Amino acid sequence: MDRFSAVERALRTAPAHALFEAVQDALTTYYTAASVDLLMADYAMTILQPVNALPYTAEPVPAHSSAPGRAFGSQLPHVERPAGATEMTAHFPVSVRGDRLGVLSVHLPTEHYSEAVETELRDIAEVLGHEIVVAERDTDLYLQARRANRLTLAAEMQWQLLPGRSCARPEYEIGAQLEPAYAIYGDNFDWSATADHLTVTVSNGMGEGIEAALLTNLAINALRNARRAGLSLSDQACLADQAIYGHYRGAVHLAVLLLRFDLDTGRVEIVDAGSPRMWRLRQGKTEPIELEPQLPLGMFEDTMYSAQDFSVQPGDRLFFISDGVYDVASPAGERYSEKALTRAMAATRLLPPSQVPRAVLQELAGHRGRIDPDDDAMVVCLDWHGRP
């Protein structure tokens, strides 16, 4: 058995809570590693925290201005090799299908590092990411390692509902983020892909705290239930609308934007039910997309919904933005303008989608200053590549 296969087997047979120890022992044995660290990105995507110092991890490092952060941001290996040193440190992104989880850092003798070793260690980091996702069904360890602060109960519910924070396929890339990360309550996003279609949902539940989280959980699971039953996009909206109205009798509602992309043609079906707003960046020009508005889900009994047609071209970047972005005021009471939002979106054109939401929300935080937000905010970014 070659050494890569030996490490892979060690990870696959390790107990769910012991993946770090397994990769540490295996890399020490087969790659002469002097030390190994596993760093997990926190919910706000601002720091990387070591897994081996729970429950409150020690000495986190910045996710965007550190050596491990460079590997995390670029999704490429980053090597620290001081001139004349006999040892070096290599950092590798730990990701699953484009969803960035953290960084694996390996300190080893310089003479034992080569292009072949780098390729093997990069693949090991990818295997580790897949094992972490599977292990999270059986242990809280890796979810705890992502927490710089305690989550509110509403935030706990919302984060558990999400599919991830980014994903990538040849046809598209998606990145998304919710703020305030540790106290989110009503905003949410969801996506699911088949061989030929991508379905994206962005929603904003009415209310605050646990009540908003309960509403969103009901809506997202109703939409998933309808989608998994093979219903059309408009029927998915109808079923979720009935579920919400049946429970709340019109007392609350949920705004949602449903999109279904044909991966072959770029044709998009859209149901705009009082939705978060949609923007498009095409050939350097950022503009809002005006859609046919329909009633939010749950307002009235037996509301009918219809899908409208839209299309995307290779190179298009779409933004989906909740009202928590538009309604933010500065310390002087000045609202965040569409002009400022357009400028913030255009400034991210060179960033990959996984980094765009944080960059836009960081601009928003700069406008708000030190005032605590009175609404949650969501940014979803989708780059469309299409098929040849």
Side-chain angles (χ1 to χ4, degrees):
M1 182 185 298
D2 64 81
R3 60 184 181 181
F4 171 79
S5 298
V7 177
E8 183 179 32
R9 179 176 176 80
L11 286 171
R12 295 195 187 283
T13 56
H17 65 275
L19 292 177
F20 171 69
E21 290 79 3
V23 75
Q24 184 181 48
D25 291 345
L27 293 182
T28 300
T29 301
Y30 297 106
Y31 291 86
T32 65
S35 64
V36 177
D37 288 306
L38 173 59
L39 308 172
M40 301 293 292
D42 85 310
Y43 284 91
M45 303 288 276
T46 58
I47 57 175
L48 298 166
Q49 304 196 117
V51 170
N52 59 339
L54 294 176
Y56 295 102
T57 54
E59 298 182 7
V61 299
H64 303 278
S65 59
S66 63
R70 291 185 64 176
F72 182 73
S74 68
Q75 290 296 283
L76 295 170
H78 175 68
V79 177
E80 295 181 275
R81 194 184 333 230
T86 59
E87 293 186 333
M88 38 94 50
T89 303
H91 307 281
F92 301 91
V94 177
S95 305
V96 178
R97 294 189 174 92
D99 191 14
R100 303 181 300 161
L101 305 181
V103 174
L104 177 67
S105 298
V106 184
H107 188 72
L108 73 171
T110 302
E111 62 181 354
H112 291 176
Y113 193 79
S114 64
E115 185 175 339
V117 169
E118 181 177 280
T119 300
E120 290 179 10
L121 291 176
R122 183 176 183 177
D123 290 343
I124 287 169
E126 182 178 351
V127 173
L128 177 60
H130 283 266
E131 291 302 317
I132 288 172
V133 171
V134 174
E136 285 179 348
R137 299 180 306 179
D138 302 317
T139 180
D140 289 334
L141 180 70
Y142 309 103
L143 293 174
Q144 285 179 289
R146 299 181 188 185
R147 303 180 183 209
N149 297 294
R150 182 177 176 179
L151 292 176
T152 65
L153 179 55
E156 186 84 51
M157 294 171 64
Q158 293 293 60
W159 284 109
Q160 289 297 309
L161 197 61
L162 299 177
R165 283 181 288 189
S166 54
C167 70
R169 273 181 51 169
E171 300 90 347
Y172 61 83
E173 295 176 70
I174 304 177
Q177 180 65 13
L178 303 173
E179 292 290 349
Y182 292 87
I184 194 75
Y185 42 87
D187 289 354
N188 200 274
F189 54 84
D190 193 25
W191 55 68
S192 178
T194 65
D196 300 311
H197 293 91
L198 166 69
T199 301
V200 177
T201 303
V202 286
S203 58
N204 181 9
M206 177 181 172
E208 297 182 358
I210 192 70
E211 294 302 325
L214 287 168
L215 170 61
T216 302
N217 268 259
L218 174 61
I220 294 298
N221 279 292
L223 289 167
R224 288 174 176 173
N225 178 257
R227 184 182 71 222
R228 292 164 184 170
L231 301 185
S232 68
L233 201 69
S234 56
D235 286 343
Q236 291 174 33
C238 289
L239 187 146
D241 171 72
Q242 292 170 22
I244 296 171
Y245 183 84
H247 186 75
Y248 291 101
R249 312 306 297 178
V252 298
H253 58 264
L254 178 132
V256 65
L257 183 64
L258 298 174
L259 305 98
R260 189 170 188 261
F261 295 79
D262 187 305
L263 300 181
D264 273 328
T265 66
R267 178 177 174 270
V268 190
E269 296 177 87
I270 302 179
V271 174
D272 179 358
S275 71
R277 294 185 60 182
M278 175 176 166
W279 293 69
R280 179 179 63 201
L281 175 60
R282 174 180 287 176
Q283 297 180 348
K285 180 181 180 182
T286 305
E287 58 184 351
I289 302 301
E290 299 298 332
L291 300 169
E292 179 183 343
Q294 300 178 69
L295 291 173
L297 305 185
M299 289 190 73
F300 302 104
E301 190 173 12
D302 296 328
T303 303
M304 300 303 296
Y305 293 91
S306 59
Q308 64 182 104
D309 289 332
F310 187 70
S311 63
V312 287
Q313 300 176 6
D316 281 356
R317 170 168 284 184
L318 302 179
F319 295 88
F320 310 101
I321 298 176
S322 69
D323 57 8
V325 174
Y326 298 97
D327 292 342
V328 167
S330 71
E334 180 184 357
R335 292 289 171 185
Y336 195 63
S337 66
E338 287 194 1
K339 182 178 180 180
L341 178 59
T342 301
R343 185 169 59 249
M345 289 188 289
T348 67
R349 63 188 180 277
L350 300 180
L351 294 176
S354 59
Q355 297 185 38
V356 168
R358 177 186 173 275
V360 173
L361 290 168
Q362 197 170 30
E363 288 284 329
L364 183 70
H367 174 81
R368 184 176 58 238
R370 296 185 178 182
I371 300 174
D372 291 335
D374 55 9
D375 193 5
D376 42 1
M378 171 183 60
V379 176
V380 179
C381 175
L382 186 151
D383 276 5
W384 181 258
H385 306 308
R387 287 178 174 168

